[in-house]
Amino acid sequence: MRYEKVTVECYSGYKASERPIAFVHQGRRREITEIIDRWYEGGLRADRPRVDYFKVKTAEGEAFLLRYLSLFDVWTVRVQGGGKDAF
């Protein structure tokens, strides 16, 4: 599996890019209706920057795994080898 860079619209409340609300992948905008799960890894040591993960459901009922690399301010979506989205 691999990740592809995407453009993400975020809700910013108490912090910037707090959670995704929509994203554009392969030229199509997908509105997020539910955050199924969220977690992070790293961030406790300087050599392991924080990476946030969001398992989301879109208005079309599709599920995706979004990843936010805060060190680079970059969002990506996980795609499977067959070119299908999701996780």
Side-chain angles (χ1 to χ4, degrees), residues 34-50:
E34 179 182 357
I35 295 178
I36 300 166
D37 196 6
R38 67 189 292 175
W39 66 94
Y40 73 93
E41 61 184 31
L44 298 176
R45 298 184 345 217
D47 63 335
R48 295 212 49 217
R50 183 178 169 120

Side-chain angles (χ1 to χ4, degrees), residues 12-76:
S12 294
Y14 72 94
K15 67 176 189 171
S17 300
E18 187 173 325
R19 63 179 163 80
I21 57 173
F23 65 100
V24 177
H25 181 241
Q26 298 177 339
R28 188 168 149 220
R29 184 179 185 275
R30 292 171 166 93
E31 184 177 337
I32 296 168
T33 56
E34 179 182 357
I35 295 178
I36 300 166
D37 196 6
R38 67 189 292 175
W39 66 94
Y40 73 93
E41 61 184 31
L44 298 176
R45 298 184 345 217
D47 63 335
R48 295 212 49 217
R50 183 178 169 120
V51 179
D52 293 285
Y53 293 89
F54 296 87
K55 186 176 178 181
V56 300
K57 185 176 181 181
T58 65
E60 295 81 18
E62 298 172 298
F64 293 88
L65 181 62
L66 297 173
R67 177 176 72 172
Y68 178 62
L69 294 93
S70 58
L71 180 65
F72 303 106
D73 192 26
V74 171
W75 285 90
T76 58

